Amino acid sequence: MELRSFPSPTLSEHLISCIVPSYIKTKNICKLNFEEKVTAMRRSFGQCWRLNLRCSANGDGASVLASNVHVREQQSCSNIPLHDARILYSVAPAMGHNKEYHPESNLRVPAIVNALEEFELTSKTFQESLIAAGAGLSLVDSVVSASITSPNPPIGFALIRPPGHHAIPKGPMGFCVFGNIAVAARYAQHVHGLTRVLIIDFDVHHGNGTCDAFYDDPNVFFLSTHQVGSYPGTGKIEQVGQGSGEGTTLNLPLPGGSGDYVMRSAFNEVIAPCAQRFKPDIILVSAGYDAHVLDPLAGLQFTAGTYYMLASSIKQLAKELCKGRCVFFLEGGYNLQSLSHSVVDTFRAFLEQPSLAPQFDDPAILYEEPLSKAKQAIQKIKHLHSL
């Protein structure tokens, strides 16, 4: 697999408008009730950032081409009322000039930016969260467009932070500012006419924000596997949706110690049958890698091989059910080695290359899975949802 990245040709990395009360109102996008707010976010993102991810195959094997381009125009982010701004500044840190002990150091501009952020004189945290949410919308556009002309469209993967699935309709929560995947689901419905959206969340924590956003919506099926008793304490097996959305929420809490065997069983007996019955127009995935055995924040024991299986299986579901339309969104994952290895194996699954799990995973650190408890949970959820 060959990776190529193309650096930005522009002079400034950010154009930030500070202390703009009307712009801060965009936070209300979390409410997910108004199509125009979703469209406004997409427009804002499109003017400030272009993200294209294309997977292709040739005689020499598969390659991934990534392009990240910042776009600055005379009226960049023109939806922001500049007359309301108190300060405008751009950042061009010239990080390539890094001669050791040189007085004109590459640390000068980052030091200033860090100080501005420390003393809350910049809106950058909010701005980056907006860009993260917008990245998913751009990928939805690209995947949907490709599915019209190609029988094998690329799968999208939004490698973004902060994560999003804990952000509730009222505001931020648990490392999350915007509900990135929830915004993308509404965008897919309102802009592309993809009525039925399946959201699969395999983060070790319950995606409570996404769950809340669609709890009474019959056209969005939210399915979460997560560790029982983990943060934020939601995602009980009895939570199945309400009103017209009853039956389109499925929570499968897994006992601590669950690993590859349990997750394979959950996919084959629960996730795949639900997807096949729901018949989605697009599949969105909250891809959390904190269920890995090395992750410090949880007690499951997934491996890179588990994530390879999930990526390959979800790709096949999308191909069978919704013309290959599928976008992954990075959620958790806090051990940098297991996170990066697991995402590498996810990409290899997308490209139909062999898993590198034998190189990444050490079977010696795994212990016996709680198969009896896991089987009970799976059987209960199958009965509850008539699977």
Side-chain angles (χ1 to χ4, degrees):
M1 180 171 63
E2 179 185 4
L3 297 175
R4 302 177 186 173
S5 89
F6 301 90
S8 167
T10 57
L11 295 177
S12 63
E13 182 177 355
H14 296 289
L15 177 63
I16 301 174
S17 175
C18 299
I19 318 174
V20 187
S22 60
Y23 186 42
I24 300 302
K25 290 179 183 177
T26 312
K27 287 184 178 179
N28 290 333
I29 191 65
C30 295
K31 293 182 179 179
L32 299 171
N33 293 326
F34 303 99
E35 177 180 353
E36 60 269 21
K37 290 183 178 178
V38 178
T39 304
M41 172 176 281
R42 175 66 182 87
R43 187 185 307 116
S44 173
F45 170 75
Q47 290 171 338
C48 299
W49 180 270
R50 300 291 184 202
L51 173 63
N52 295 298
L53 180 63
R54 182 172 75 254
C55 296
S56 62
N58 52 41
D60 299 325
S63 65
V64 177
L65 304 181
S67 173
N68 298 282
V69 182
H70 297 270
V71 178
R72 180 189 175 190
E73 301 172 348
Q74 185 176 2
Q75 293 183 346
S76 179
C77 301
S78 59
N79 62 314
I80 304 173
L82 297 183
H83 61 271
D84 287 342
R86 297 287 298 278
I87 300 172
L88 291 176
Y89 69 95
S90 62
V91 178
M95 301 303 289
H97 184 270
N98 56 358
K99 300 297 183 181
E100 191 173 6
Y101 304 122
H102 195 288
E104 209 291 289
S105 165
N106 66 318
L107 300 178
R108 293 173 61 240
V109 172
I112 295 170
V113 173
N114 289 341
L116 291 174
E117 292 175 359
E118 179 183 355
F119 290 95
E120 299 181 354
L121 295 174
T122 170
S123 60
K124 180 179 178 182
T125 299
F126 173 74
Q127 191 83 354
E128 291 183 345
S129 298
L130 191 67
I131 290 174
L137 308 189
S138 182
L139 286 173
V140 168
D141 284 342
S142 298
V143 167
V144 172
S145 177
S147 72
I148 297 173
T149 58
S150 170
N152 296 299
I155 288 184
F157 199 125
L159 288 171
I160 55 177
R161 58 180 297 266
H165 71 157
H166 292 311
I168 58 177
K170 291 183 179 179
M173 180 179 175
F175 303 164
C176 306
V177 177
F178 293 120
N180 303 323
I181 200 167
V183 171
R186 279 288 184 252
Y187 181 78
Q189 289 177 321
H190 290 295
V191 175
H192 292 287
L194 302 178
T195 303
R196 298 173 70 78
V197 180
L198 171 62
I199 299 176
I200 300 172
D201 187 329
F202 56 71
D203 191 279
V204 79
H205 305 105
H206 180 241
N208 60 297
T210 315
C211 183
D212 289 353
F214 305 113
Y215 202 61
D216 58 357
D217 190 332
N219 292 317
V220 178
F221 195 112
F222 173 73
L223 191 158
S224 174
T225 60
H226 47 275
Q227 183 178 345
V228 64
S230 62
Y231 177 88
T234 54
K236 307 300 183 185
I237 202 168
E238 297 80 12
Q239 292 179 279
V240 297
Q242 67 182 11
S244 58
E246 184 174 353
T248 56
T249 294
L250 187 151
N251 291 302
L252 178 53
L254 300 175
S258 295
D260 186 77
Y261 182 87
V262 169
M263 195 60 204
R264 287 175 185 268
S265 299
F267 189 91
N268 292 333
E269 297 186 43
V270 178
I271 298 176
C274 279
Q276 290 159 355
R277 184 170 66 185
F278 184 67
K279 296 180 175 59
D281 298 313
I282 189 171
I283 298 175
L284 305 180
V285 182
S286 272
Y289 293 88
D290 43 6
H292 194 282
V293 64
L294 297 180
D295 197 274
L297 297 189
L300 298 187
Q301 49 175 344
F302 290 9
T303 64
T306 312
Y307 293 113
Y308 182 93
M309 177 275 297
L310 284 169
S312 178
S313 301
I314 292 172
K315 176 185 177 181
Q316 184 61 31
L317 272 182
K319 184 176 181 179
E320 293 173 359
L321 301 175
C322 50
K323 300 182 179 179
R325 292 188 288 256
C326 183
V327 180
F328 280 55
F329 293 73
L330 181 64
E331 298 287 359
Y334 306 101
N335 176 298
L336 297 186
Q337 177 179 300
S338 64
L339 169 64
S340 55
H341 285 172
S342 297
V343 174
V344 164
D345 236 25
T346 296
F347 271 52
R348 291 182 69 86
F350 293 161
L351 295 168
E352 299 181 2
Q353 296 183 351
S355 169
L356 294 180
Q359 298 180 34
F360 295 151
D361 300 332
D362 180 7
I365 67 174
L366 302 176
Y367 52 93
E368 186 177 357
E369 296 183 44
L371 300 184
S372 178
K373 289 183 178 179
K375 184 177 180 179
Q376 290 176 11
I378 290 174
Q379 291 303 316
K380 184 175 181 179
I381 205 75
K382 288 173 68 175
H383 174 74
L384 193 62
H385 287 266
S386 301
L387 295 174

